Each structure stands twice: as C-alpha cells, then as structure tokens.
Amino acid sequence: FDRMKPVIVVHGGAGRIFKEREEGSRTGVVRAALRGYGMLKQGGSALDAVEEAVRSMEDDPHFNAGCGSVLNEKGEVEMDAIIMDGKNLDSGAVSAVKCIANPIKLARLVMEKTKHMLLTDSGAHLFAQAMGIPEIPGEKLITERSRERWKNNLEPDSNPQEFQKDLGTVGAVAIDSEGNVACATSTGGLSNKLTGRVGDTACIGSGGYADNHSGATSTTGHGESIMKVVLARLILYHMEQGMSPGMAADTALDYMKTRVGGLGGVIVVNNSGEWAARFSTKQMSWATVKDDQLHYGIYAGERHTKSVGEALASESEGF
C-alpha cells in the first residue's frame, strides 16, 4: 500500500482584509496550517488535523469564529460549525451556539457521540453540557472590534452590507497518509444578522463536504449565495467529472457569481493530494503545507513559500 503524502489547506475567510489586520490574518492561517500538518506528519488523521487547525483559528481574535466572532442584531455571538469525514460521509454540525470557545469541538462530538448530524441553539447547549464542555461567559468571545462594528452598524445611516465584505469564516481541508480526506468550517456569521440566522457553514454540502472518492472542500463568503448553489458539493461534482481542484473551484465560484451574484472563496484538496485555494472576493487569507513546504497568501496571485523548518523557527520567534 502506497502511503499518501499528507496535505493540509486552511482559509481564514474571504472578503476584504483591512490593512491593519493583514499581518494577523497571515500569521493566523500559517500557524493553523503548521499545527494541522504537525498532526498529519505524526500519523494523525485528516479529521484530527482539520479540527486542530480550525480550533487554532477559533482561538485567534483576528478571525470571525470562536473568540472574535461578529455580533448579531442583539449584540450577541451566535456561532456555526461543521466537520466531515470523507471515509464514510459522517458529519457533525452545530448552529447558533453561544458561550463555548470552540464550536468545532462540539461539531466533532455531534458526529461521534450522537446519531444526528446537526444540533442547534439550546439543544446544542444541552449537549455541550452533557459532554462536559466548559461554558464561558458570552463577553469572553467579544472583541472590542466586534462591539465597535456592531455599534456602527446600528447607526440609522449605516450599511451593514458594506461591512459584510470582511467575513472571516475559517476552514480547513486535509488528506492523511491513509488517503482519508476531511473538512472543517467554523464562523460567527454575518455582522448584525437576525437572531437565529444560520448561514452556509452548518449546512452539509454548502459550508463544506468531504468524500474520499473525490476530495474535500471548505467554503467562505456570502452564506446565502453559497447555500443557493450548494457550493462545496458543486466543486466535488466538477472534480468527479475530471476537473483539477483549481479548475473545479474556479468553475463553481464563477457559476455562483453569474447565477446569483455571490462572491466567496474555497479551499480544496483532491484524493490524490492536489490542492487549490481560490476566491472571487478581493482577498482570502489561506495557507497550505505539502511535502514540507508551506505556501500562503492573501491577495490574488500572491504566494509566499517557506520550508516547514524555517516557518516553525520564525513561528517560535513570532513573525
């Protein structure tokens, strides 16, 4: 049996990344990719690697997931997350969850400890308690920036749509040495969204999809548009028709733009370890590690490359 070379790809959200946040976004996706890759190198599963990478970004206030999530109309954090195993198409998701640090952990438990795929709101909360997940005060997840933005969006002349361009869903896809693929996606959703709004992230086939027969993908961007075209599954469909990951991603993003006017970004890995990071927005922070080489970028056409050794050394010094 020919062992696969493991690959991980992560994204920190598509949209507009403001200048003062670029460095933090780059550092955050690089750290997440290195952490996930570290697990894969030690023989860890794709599932463990994507969960770890996403957890790392949930804990990073630069991203709209976990700590740093945007606020809904009432000024609260409500988060969505999904994880999927390409081996048997098992998936777990949570939506509209509050007061927990890592929704992706809870999604993994939904997949492994229940017969269900999606738990929401108070039901997800009860399940988290049953699983012994510590509850944290909602304020702990709220950054100064999220509160500022929420306030600004409440102004009568504000246009929350204008700010939605800085979306920051986080996600990861991976293939491990056994050839199994997995995906994970987590988000705080849209700023000033209606209470109870659930976007694409928690929806299988939209926010993510993983199938060993073709590959895995995680999406980011305008949730309602992504749901309309079932973006993640659409990309895998194109790969099943013989397209490369990059071609499949571009084709699906292009369709979403022309058909429903939606912009977004995707990361993809196919079952032979080829990867892609593509977006129709201005920017998307992304990073990938394959063959001990780290690649990362934010702008279209931007791609930095470092060896993993070099990256880990500068990681420990701080960028």
Side-chain angles (χ1 to χ4, degrees):
F1 171 65
D2 190 24
R3 289 181 82 69
M4 273 300 297
K5 279 188 173 154
V7 181
I8 186 159
V9 194
V10 305
H11 70 73
R16 186 180 56 192
I17 298 161
F18 298 106
K19 269 278 179 271
E20 73 274 10
R21 304 181 61 74
E22 269 183 27
E23 210 38 52
S25 297
R26 268 198 198 92
T27 310
V29 289
V30 165
R31 182 184 301 129
L34 290 171
R35 282 194 182 165
Y37 189 69
M39 296 186 95
L40 293 170
K41 280 296 269 194
Q42 291 161 9
S45 69
L47 215 48
D48 287 340
V50 295
E51 182 187 358
E52 176 58 29
V54 165
R55 199 188 56 73
S56 163
M57 291 183 285
E58 285 177 340
D59 292 342
D60 184 331
H62 283 94
F63 302 108
N64 174 16
C67 176
S69 288
V70 299
L71 310 186
N72 67 11
E73 56 175 358
K74 283 196 178 144
E76 301 168 328
V77 165
E78 287 188 315
M79 302 166 290
D80 304 334
I82 192 167
I83 194 165
M84 186 166 182
D85 183 350
K87 201 187 317 185
N88 47 18
L89 305 188
D90 273 353
S91 178
V94 292
S95 71
V97 296
K98 302 179 174 122
C99 303
I100 63 163
N102 298 111
I104 200 65
K105 263 189 169 153
L106 192 56
R108 174 93 185 248
L109 288 168
V110 170
M111 175 172 84
E112 292 180 344
K113 307 286 186 200
T114 78
K115 291 188 167 68
H116 308 309
M117 287 170 95
L118 172 59
L119 290 182
T120 192
D121 200 353
S122 57
H125 182 74
L126 288 171
F127 176 66
Q129 284 178 326
M131 290 288 119
I133 290 196
E135 204 176 309
I136 61 169
E139 294 73 67
K140 274 261 165 69
L141 298 170
I142 299 177
T143 58
E144 197 41 55
R145 172 166 173 271
S146 295
R147 198 181 292 288
E148 274 304 294
R149 173 197 254 181
W150 173 71
K151 280 217 231 29
N152 292 342
N153 285 345
L154 291 179
E155 299 293 324
D157 58 349
S158 88
N159 174 11
Q161 269 52 56
E162 197 29 52
F163 290 99
Q164 297 310 359
K165 298 194 173 90
D166 179 19
L167 289 163
T169 297
V170 304
V173 295
I175 187 165
D176 59 31
S177 54
E178 307 281 303
N180 293 313
V181 299
C183 70
T185 312
S186 179
T187 191
L190 291 179
S191 191
N192 297 62
K193 62 189 178 178
L194 292 181
T195 305
R197 178 264 189 186
V198 176
D200 65 293
T201 300
C203 301
I204 189 170
S206 294
Y209 203 83
D211 182 349
N212 281 6
H213 294 166
S214 46
T217 179
S218 167
T219 67
T220 165
H222 184 243
E224 282 72 13
S225 299
I226 291 170
M227 290 156 99
K228 287 175 186 178
V229 302
V230 197
L231 187 62
R233 190 66 190 83
L234 181 60
I235 291 165
L236 293 192
Y237 165 78
H238 287 314
M239 294 203 304
E240 286 157 8
Q241 305 301 305
M243 283 187 192
S244 68
M247 186 75 190
D250 285 341
T251 305
L253 282 168
D254 196 50
Y255 175 72
M256 183 167 82
K257 192 172 174 177
T258 53
R259 187 69 180 85
V260 297
L263 301 179
V266 300
I267 49 172
V268 192
V269 64
N270 72 7
N271 58 5
S272 53
E274 296 175 284
W275 62 274
R278 294 282 206 275
F279 46 100
S280 51
T281 51
K282 275 216 174 80
Q283 290 147 294
M284 179 179 80
S285 53
W286 63 273
T288 183
V289 188
K290 180 180 180 173
D291 288 329
D292 288 318
Q293 289 290 308
L294 162 77
H295 308 278
Y296 59 98
I298 287 187
Y299 291 95
E302 175 193 3
R303 179 159 160 185
H304 305 281
T305 303
K306 283 183 181 179
S307 73
V308 164
E310 193 190 339
L312 285 170
S314 61
E315 164 82 352
S316 54
E317 294 153 21
F319 271 63

